[in-house]
Amino acid sequence: KKQGRAEEAERGLRAALAIAHDLGDRANEAAWAGTLGEFLASQRRYAEAERLLAGALASHRALKNARLEGAQLLALAEVQSATGRPGEAEQSLRYSIGLLRGVHFAHAEAAACRGLAALLRERRPGDAAAFAEAVAVEARANEIDPHKEPRP
């Protein structure tokens, strides 16, 4: 039953993407491509997810939509991390944080900060400088979005 619902959701997302494409609505096409990419990533279909996310990212960049570009980088970083590319994920998260801070998208910036902090802890567990940066980045996330529970 759960698989059937996932297939139904995917069909709906693909239909929305196709409609936006047919209408020539680049902004909504990019938004639906990103949403479909995030959904596919949640299904661990990383290759297609990354292709869609990268395309959506390029479109948001071309449309000068820094808010969605930053959010798309956050989703892309999750795929990069899940596919064993922590260096690329770190780079995407850092760029995402800068964009999201610049457009005052606090909730997404906090999520990117938390992602970067976790990545730094994982990637360089014995590195004191990385640990200090992770603590500082997470403190920034908690300052931005205090309703989330801080990590232990």
Side-chain angles (χ1 to χ4, degrees), residues 60-82:
H60 292 313
R61 195 171 281 154
L63 294 167
K64 300 193 182 333
N65 187 334
R67 183 181 175 103
L68 290 179
E69 181 183 351
Q72 214 64 85
L73 278 164
L74 175 57
L76 184 60
E78 291 175 12
V79 170
Q80 291 165 333
S81 185

Side-chain angles (χ1 to χ4, degrees), residues 2-134:
K2 191 176 185 181
Q3 181 61 30
R5 299 297 291 174
E7 290 169 0
E8 182 182 347
E10 182 179 343
R11 278 192 304 274
L13 291 170
R14 287 188 187 281
L17 175 59
I19 290 167
H21 177 78
D22 291 347
L23 293 172
D25 184 343
R26 289 183 58 212
N28 276 312
E29 183 178 359
W32 285 115
T35 302
L36 177 57
E38 290 178 39
F39 174 78
L40 293 174
S42 77
Q43 302 296 302
R44 296 190 167 129
R45 293 169 54 193
Y46 297 122
E48 187 178 5
E50 185 166 6
R51 182 185 61 74
L52 285 161
L53 292 168
L57 176 62
S59 293
H60 292 313
R61 195 171 281 154
L63 294 167
K64 300 193 182 333
N65 187 334
R67 183 181 175 103
L68 290 179
E69 181 183 351
Q72 214 64 85
L73 278 164
L74 175 57
L76 184 60
E78 291 175 12
V79 170
Q80 291 165 333
S81 185
T83 56
R85 296 168 9 237
E88 290 177 46
E90 181 178 339
Q91 192 174 34
S92 293
L93 286 166
R94 289 183 186 282
Y95 190 55
S96 174
I97 289 167
L99 284 171
L100 296 168
R101 185 173 295 155
V103 296
H104 308 290
F105 192 4
H107 177 70
E109 181 190 348
C113 286
R114 286 189 177 93
L116 179 58
L119 187 66
L120 289 170
R121 283 189 183 98
E122 272 177 35
R123 192 164 179 219
R124 297 182 255 164
D127 184 334
F131 180 78
E133 183 181 6

